[in-house]
Amino acid sequence: EAAPPPSPRAPGPAAPPPPAPAPAAGSVRRLPRHLLPLHYDLELWPRVRPGQAGPFAFTGQVNITVRCLRDTGAAVLHSAGLRSRGAAAVRGPLPEPGAAVEVAGLRQDEAGEVVVLELRGRLRAGRRYVLQLGFQGRLEEDLDGLFLTRYTDRGQSSMLIASQMEPTYARRVYPCFDEPAMKATFNIRIIHDPSYVALSNMPAIDVSEVKDENGSLWTVTTFNTSLKMSTYLTAFVICDFDYVTRTERGNEIRIWARKEAIKNGYLNYALNITGPIFSFLEDILNVSYPLPKTDLVALPDFGAGGMENWGLIIFQEASLMNLPSDEFTSRKAMIALIWFGNLVTMNWWNDLWLNEGLASYFEYLGATFVEPKLPLDKIFYAHVVQPVLREDSEIARSLSESEDKIKGSFSLMSLFDNITYSKGASITWMLSGFLTEKLFIRALTSYLKEFSFSNANQDDLWTYIQMVIDAQDQVQLPAPVKQIMDSWTCQNGFPVLTLNLTTGTIRQEQFFNKNNRKNTDSYNNTWIIPISWMRNGSSQPLTWLDKSSKMFPEMQVSESEYDWILLNVNLSGYYRVNYDQLNLKRLARLLENDPKAIPAVSRFQLIDDVFALTDFGYVPIETALELTKYLAREDELFIWNMVLLNLIPDNLESTLKNHEVYPLLKKYLLKRMLPIYHYYAGFIRQNVDALEDDYFAQAYLEKLMATACWLGLQDCLDLSSELFAKWRDNPEYKIPFLIRRTVCCYGVAVGSDKEWNFVWEMYNHTDSVEEDEDLLLYAMSCAKESWLLHRYLQYGLSDTLFSSNCTSVIISHVVTKDIGHRIAWEFVTENWPLLSQGYGHELLHDVLKVMGRFVKTDVQIQEVFYNATLEEDEREAITMLLESAKLENIERRKLLIKVANWLEKNTYVLLLFLFDFLPTSFFDSQHLEDVLCPVSPISPLTL
């Protein structure tokens, strides 16, 4: 059916074309349905030689075989930022030899991102034609479409070319029908410099040569015909990389990366898990992987974390590499999150979550398949559900948007967010939970088989699930699957359930910020909610809330304080729970007496829900604090991490340190942190390798250690000094990777200028990698001597000592420190003309955002403008920013007064339970008094 491929030609000079007008952020134009693409013959020729200076261009030819569905006098297809090259032609109708339809003209509509071939004749419905277009474009370094990127390999500067087509960048590379439902097959040929290798979706089947107009030789790599796929999945990489390879079930897997990274073995772990993950997904979904090969490419610079093009998966280098020197499970787990989807794509971008949400869900299943020690439920809740619940309550969009809402390319790009990926995965997790995984996989297998190589919308998925539900009688649902799931995918936000245990009544409402919203009438959504629950430690049958309020007699509790209820056990539903005071008191008591009676994920959820309810004005802060009393008996790092982020957010450390709430927080928290701190400090001192398979130690131990040091725990400061001294005595010594940042910071903080100077020397060491440089820049900002911070900031101004982008990083680090914020502010205002010239007003804005945390009066706001020369509109914007910060600070001060009062009452608690956890030697240590001695009461007025 397809037209023969275009023959290699020697087109004109390779100078880049003048830039086409930038496409306007207008409507995402849907193409008319007159033509349906069947096959593309595509030739791409990036005019790039190694070592050449830019600017660069690419040329190309595309022949598209189409079927005409309705008579038309014009062919409309997508094209953006491309120039026409040579005359466009339309051949056909096929298979008549020599038949053609004359092209009257070619009109480019940049605003609509389309090109229109106006014809002198008509294309007839039911017939096939070939659209032939030559084109040229600029090869930019912008990480979209076809782009060029520079990198260093083995000390040499190099270039590569790669692509990122999703969602609508294919039209920037070649004229095409750039909509996900318009699938076709592709024959691709890439012309490139002989020193490079070319990769695409399919295996290469031929390599030949061609000369350009100057007689120079180029290599032509021709690829096998692709499967039917969307334009956004076409992919190209042209590079001078090496690869490692293995075969899994006949599928060749190659992982490409910088030669240095391949030689050092950084890609071996990714190679070893990719095949097993593919096999796992094939087995669980009963669908064979349809391609003969898979290339994974680790790009030093790539805008997305990863792009799962069929047969050519492109990753940000950091996502794919595992350094042998730090064989840590957290990095391995990130690499393990790979998806081989694209069998079924959505009809249109409004159902993007079908691809990405389902993919995210299966990524986590695949990760735990290759790393069985990973605690899937804990990781999924901590990394996926909890962060998106925080975000979803502030974003006014649903998972599945109506098509007319997606207006411009900007709003299309905004769909690639945590709502699509993480909420989609969370909803899938919930769906799998109430269906049972067995029925869910059965339905998904049928769905994938039915829609392979075509397109679907969410209603198609609901239909296939309903068919499976109707064919069995174990699982009963309160409503059709579509009705249940539309309530989760087509409405904004999510519900909070309020439980009254005296009456057994559960009421639902949309979770929203009661502190900010005056009009609550617009928050009247209702969901059909699966409720998994537990009573006194025993799991109960799943029940449903399908209206705004409902009574559950089985949830009424007795007067016994040992009679308690827990809803949404182990995160089975995408919602929060607001318990009445009666149940919260019983749960708080239970946590103090027997925390393991509540599953770990439910403990996390319970405390996180209460802090979120506090933030949004549902319950007072004291309610959340009551649930932290038990923490001396909490041994789960992922729960400690969540508590510490709620009590001591990273961005408020310096604010809290300068408040008199700090000593109270110190006494209260350290008492509870000591058991878990000493447990992990013992490993760090004696056998840190034993933590290699402890995922949460890799992910969260840093926060625990940093908080212990921030709270002034002498043992933590001593440990940091010991490890820092080992490093200083022997720069080859590796500080344990999981606490490097804390050790470097507090090694400098408790040291003198000698420690600071050592870090400075290490920063200037030629071998330091980017990750180390960031850590060292941060460590130098931890100095407690004002003169060292002044000197550091002055160094930051020097072009010879730092690259320009480091200056703003140095300022942003210093400004967040408890003694640094005033020093940084004075430095910025004094050097404003110089900084403004180098960085513009963005830097001032970033510093002000941090400084705003300390603004309490209008006088302080006026201070801002003494040295900074600003335009009137900038002055107004900054005034608004600081006014807003001042109001936030006033509210925060009120909150801190409440926290201080509560801490004061609860600091003198019995410490008997500590003896169950701490070694006897600890109670002889000299710093015991510092940790446990009572603090003098403070007046709320001093806050």
Side-chain angles (χ1 to χ4, degrees):
E1 286 200 0
S7 58
R9 293 161 311 287
S27 61
V28 177
R29 179 162 173 183
R30 298 294 297 268
L31 295 175
R33 291 302 185 257
H34 300 117
L35 302 176
L36 180 70
L38 303 173
H39 179 80
Y40 291 77
D41 278 302
L42 173 62
E43 176 188 281
L44 282 178
W45 189 341
R47 305 307 185 98
V48 176
R49 298 283 199 189
Q52 251 184 359
F56 296 104
F58 64 91
T59 60
Q61 173 75 29
V62 66
N63 295 351
I64 311 172
T65 305
V66 298
R67 175 175 284 118
C68 183
L69 302 178
R70 279 185 282 176
D71 288 12
T72 179
V76 183
L77 58 161
H78 285 115
S79 174
L82 299 173
R83 296 280 182 187
S84 174
R85 185 178 174 85
V90 176
R91 289 184 29 235
L94 301 179
E96 294 176 22
V101 179
E102 190 179 347
V103 177
L106 187 143
R107 179 167 52 84
Q108 187 82 38
D109 174 6
E110 284 294 343
E113 300 190 341
V114 296
V115 62
V116 181
L117 278 71
E118 290 164 336
L119 308 174
R120 296 203 192 278
R122 292 183 72 73
L123 306 183
R124 300 297 179 188
R127 307 304 296 271
R128 286 179 296 113
Y129 300 86
V130 179
L131 314 181
Q132 299 181 323
L133 297 102
F135 55 91
Q136 58 184 342
R138 291 172 71 91
L139 201 54
E140 306 283 7
E141 297 183 44
D142 57 1
L143 307 183
D144 291 327
L146 192 67
F147 61 87
L148 182 135
T149 186
R150 301 171 193 273
Y151 64 98
T152 303
D153 192 4
R154 299 185 297 189
Q156 299 293 312
S157 179
S158 302
M159 297 185 296
L160 65 80
I161 296 158
S163 64
Q164 165 62 23
M165 304 301 207
E166 189 177 34
T168 55
Y169 298 123
R171 65 191 66 176
R172 294 171 181 261
V173 182
Y174 58 97
C176 57
F177 294 84
D178 197 12
E179 294 187 9
M182 291 186 154
K183 294 187 172 186
T185 54
F186 288 79
N187 276 356
I188 291 169
R189 177 165 56 230
I190 297 175
I191 304 178
H192 55 93
D193 184 88
S195 67
Y196 290 136
V197 63
L199 305 173
S200 187
N201 305 81
M202 299 301 290
I205 54 169
D206 184 61
V207 178
S208 58
E209 290 181 341
V210 67
K211 287 183 179 178
D212 66 15
E213 61 283 349
N214 299 318
S216 298
L217 271 181
W218 296 77
T219 296
V220 182
T221 302
T222 304
F223 299 91
N224 211 344
T225 307
S226 78
L227 299 170
K228 206 171 162 189
M229 64 184 186
S230 307
T231 49
Y232 79 86
L233 293 174
T234 53
F236 321 101
V237 173
I238 302 160
C239 63
D240 180 23
F241 277 3
D242 278 349
Y243 68 90
V244 285
T245 183
R246 67 176 275 175
T247 301
E248 179 84 11
R249 296 185 181 176
N251 174 22
E252 185 188 14
I253 296 166
R254 296 183 298 184
I255 300 190
W256 300 77
R258 290 179 298 115
K259 294 177 178 180
E260 186 176 32
I262 293 289
K263 182 183 171 189
N264 291 336
Y266 295 167
L267 281 304
N268 291 350
Y269 176 75
L271 179 69
N272 291 335
I273 66 168
T274 302
I277 286 178
F278 280 18
S279 298
F280 165 74
L281 291 169
E282 282 189 331
D283 292 343
I284 195 173
L285 297 171
N286 196 23
V287 175
S288 296
Y289 184 67
L291 301 181
K293 69 91 181 176
T294 300
D295 288 309
L296 292 84
V297 183
L299 294 192
D301 198 9
F302 188 55
M307 177 62 204
E308 307 91 341
N309 311 294
W310 238 0
L312 180 54
I313 307 176
I314 299 175
F315 286 92
Q316 169 72 259
E317 189 179 76
S319 303
L320 206 57
M321 281 178 27
N322 188 65
L323 311 183
S325 60
D326 52 82
E327 289 279 321
F328 287 146
T329 310
S330 60
R331 193 188 289 260
K332 286 180 181 178
M334 290 306 296
I335 297 169
L337 303 185
I338 300 170
W339 168 246
F340 82 138
N342 309 325
L343 265 178
V344 180
T345 47
M346 60 278 146
N347 269 324
W348 182 242
W349 298 105
N350 56 319
D351 275 339
L352 176 66
W353 84 269
L354 272 182
N355 271 37
E356 306 301 353
L358 284 170
S360 297
Y361 170 78
F362 279 104
E363 281 170 0
Y364 278 84
L365 291 188
T368 51
F369 172 76
V370 295
E371 291 284 355
K373 292 177 184 173
L374 290 176
L376 175 63
D377 56 343
K378 297 172 187 175
I379 293 174
F380 194 80
Y381 198 75
H383 284 325
V384 180
V385 186
Q386 189 248 6
V388 79
L389 281 172
R390 291 263 163 180
E391 197 173 320
D392 197 11
S393 48
E394 302 282 4
I395 291 178
R397 90 164 180 83
S398 59
L399 254 187
S400 182
E401 290 285 14
S402 62
E403 194 177 312
D404 58 359
K405 266 195 175 180
I406 301 171
K407 302 290 185 195
S409 52
F410 172 78
S411 61
L412 224 180
M413 283 307 298
S414 70
L415 293 178
F416 291 79
D417 63 1
N418 269 344
I419 300 297
T420 290
Y421 289 82
S422 296
K423 183 175 181 177
S426 303
I427 296 298
T428 305
W429 178 284
M430 178 175 70
L431 174 63
S432 172
F434 71 72
L435 290 175
T436 71
E437 189 172 292
K438 180 179 158 191
L439 293 183
F440 175 60
I441 296 294
R442 188 183 298 167
L444 206 55
T445 300
S446 305
Y447 164 82
L448 286 174
K449 283 188 172 162
E450 176 63 27
F451 292 99
S452 285
F453 308 109
S454 63
N455 301 74
N457 58 36
Q458 66 173 22
D459 283 356
D460 295 317
L461 179 57
W462 307 152
T463 299
Y464 275 79
I465 293 173
Q466 189 67 55
M467 285 160 57
V468 166
I469 290 293
D470 293 343
Q472 56 79 59
D473 53 12
Q474 279 93 35
V475 175
Q476 301 296 321
L477 300 181
V481 172
K482 174 175 166 55
Q483 194 181 335
I484 295 171
M485 294 310 296
D486 280 358
S487 76
W488 295 97
T489 62
C490 299
Q491 297 187 123
N492 297 347
F494 60 89
V496 55
L497 305 193
T498 300
L499 174 60
N500 182 328
L501 285 189
T502 310
T503 62
T505 303
I506 300 180
R507 177 172 53 83
Q508 66 162 294
E509 64 177 310
Q510 184 164 352
F511 187 64
F512 66 94
N513 195 334
K514 293 192 171 187
N515 299 319
N516 298 343
R517 306 276 161 75
K518 300 290 184 281
N519 177 20
T520 61
D521 295 341
S522 57
Y523 294 89
N524 55 6
N525 291 343
T526 304
W527 288 260
I528 302 176
I529 304 170
I531 301 174
S532 61
W533 64 294
M534 174 185 282
R535 183 168 190 158
N536 306 336
S538 298
S539 294
Q540 305 296 315
L542 183 78
T543 189
W544 291 81
L545 178 64
D546 53 4
K547 53 183 81 166
S548 58
S549 180
K550 192 173 176 181
M551 188 179 289
F552 296 87
E554 65 272 28
M555 292 191 194
Q556 292 176 2
V557 295
S558 66
E559 292 182 8
S560 165
E561 62 187 32
Y562 299 104
D563 196 6
W564 52 271
I565 299 277
L566 194 70
L567 299 189
N568 200 13
V569 178
N570 285 339
L571 70 106
S572 51
Y574 185 73
Y575 53 89
R576 294 200 184 276
V577 180
N578 182 13
Y579 295 104
D580 58 12
Q581 286 299 316
L582 174 68
N583 199 49
L584 275 176
K585 280 180 183 169
R586 292 179 182 181
L587 290 172
R589 179 188 169 85
L590 178 68
L591 286 171
E592 290 189 64
N593 293 333
D594 183 16
K596 297 289 167 107
I598 298 176
V601 169
S602 290
R603 295 199 300 278
F604 180 107
Q605 200 180 335
L606 173 64
I607 300 168
D608 186 58
D609 277 359
V610 177
F611 273 110
L613 289 161
T614 295
D615 290 347
F616 275 31
Y618 285 80
V619 298
I621 183 65
E622 294 85 351
T623 302
L625 293 170
E626 287 291 331
L627 290 179
T628 66
K629 285 182 177 179
Y630 88 100
L631 283 169
R633 302 188 66 169
E634 182 54 75
D635 59 3
E636 290 278 6
L637 262 181
F638 83 114
I639 296 176
W640 265 105
N641 186 67
M642 177 270 297
V643 171
L644 293 177
L645 288 174
N646 274 293
L647 288 177
I648 309 168
D650 290 339
N651 64 346
L652 289 182
E653 282 188 358
S654 54
T655 312
L656 292 169
K657 194 76 174 268
N658 286 288
H659 262 290
E660 290 187 44
V661 76
Y662 173 77
L664 289 164
L665 204 54
K666 172 178 176 175
K667 307 297 178 190
Y668 181 80
L669 270 180
L670 281 184
K671 288 172 189 176
R672 288 157 178 82
M673 284 177 70
L674 287 172
I676 195 166
Y677 166 81
H678 278 283
Y679 175 79
Y680 281 105
F683 280 109
I684 289 166
R685 283 194 164 98
Q686 292 157 25
N687 185 16
V688 72
D689 291 342
L691 297 176
E692 182 182 316
D693 288 323
D694 183 338
Y695 173 82
F696 287 120
Q698 314 306 323
Y700 298 140
L701 187 55
E702 186 90 70
K703 176 67 177 175
L704 184 87
M705 295 292 293
T707 304
C709 284
W710 180 80
L711 290 168
L713 181 61
Q714 194 60 47
D715 189 74
C716 183
L717 298 172
D718 291 346
L719 178 58
S720 297
S721 294
E722 286 167 28
L723 296 176
F724 189 93
K726 275 189 185 179
W727 179 42
R728 195 178 148 206
D729 293 343
N730 174 19
E732 297 301 310
Y733 169 74
K734 298 285 185 192
I735 297 169
F737 187 81
L738 25 158
I739 55 164
R740 281 176 71 208
R741 191 176 174 88
T742 299
V743 168
C744 291
C745 176
Y746 284 94
V748 168
V750 300
S752 64
D753 57 330
K754 291 186 180 67
E755 281 71 22
W756 195 98
N757 290 336
F758 172 72
V759 176
W760 173 247
E761 285 170 28
M762 296 308 292
Y763 177 80
N764 288 298
H765 202 268
T766 50
D767 291 343
S768 59
V769 296
E770 191 177 339
E771 195 173 4
D772 290 336
E773 287 178 3
D774 290 344
L775 184 143
L776 296 172
L777 284 174
Y778 171 77
M780 287 186 281
S781 74
C782 297
K784 294 297 183 193
E785 299 274 0
S786 299
W787 70 271
L788 281 172
L789 292 181
H790 277 293
R791 185 178 76 177
Y792 187 29
L793 290 166
Q794 286 298 331
Y795 281 5
L797 284 178
S798 165
D799 291 340
T800 54
L801 295 176
F802 287 107
S803 63
S804 58
N805 60 333
C806 285
T807 308
S808 57
V809 173
I810 291 168
I811 295 169
S812 64
H813 282 326
V814 173
V815 82
T816 57
K817 301 297 183 294
D818 43 317
I819 68 160
H821 68 272
R822 177 52 62 184
I823 294 168
W825 175 242
E826 287 169 359
F827 173 79
V828 168
T829 52
E830 285 168 12
N831 293 282
W832 179 244
L834 195 60
L835 290 167
S836 180
Q837 189 179 348
Y839 306 102
H841 295 133
E842 242 176 68
L843 175 68
L844 180 66
H845 195 269
D846 290 344
V847 175
L848 280 172
K849 273 199 274 194
V850 182
M851 283 304 305
R853 297 173 203 149
F854 305 96
V855 172
K856 300 169 193 168
T857 65
D858 291 336
V859 172
Q860 287 173 303
I861 293 176
Q862 291 310 309
E863 255 184 52
V864 171
F865 303 111
Y866 289 162
N867 293 312
T869 311
L870 298 168
E871 300 294 330
E872 188 57 37
D873 58 339
E874 290 165 340
R875 187 177 287 259
E876 282 177 20
I878 286 170
T879 303
M880 281 176 65
L881 184 145
L882 293 178
E883 282 288 352
S884 171
K886 183 184 80 172
L887 295 174
E888 277 181 29
N889 292 337
I890 291 168
E891 289 304 312
R892 189 178 296 118
R893 282 161 63 79
K894 289 178 188 172
L895 184 68
L896 287 175
I897 289 169
K898 290 178 182 176
V899 172
N901 285 338
W902 187 91
L903 288 171
E904 194 177 329
K905 288 174 194 165
N906 288 277
T907 302
Y908 309 103
V909 294
L910 289 174
L911 299 171
L912 294 176
F913 51 79
L914 283 178
F915 290 88
D916 293 337
F917 297 92
L918 298 179
T920 311
S921 60
F922 176 79
F923 292 94
D924 301 327
S925 64
Q926 58 184 9
H927 62 273
L928 178 63
E929 184 183 345
D930 178 51
V931 176
L932 302 182
C933 69
V935 293
S936 56
I938 62 169
S939 159
L941 293 174
T942 60
L943 286 173

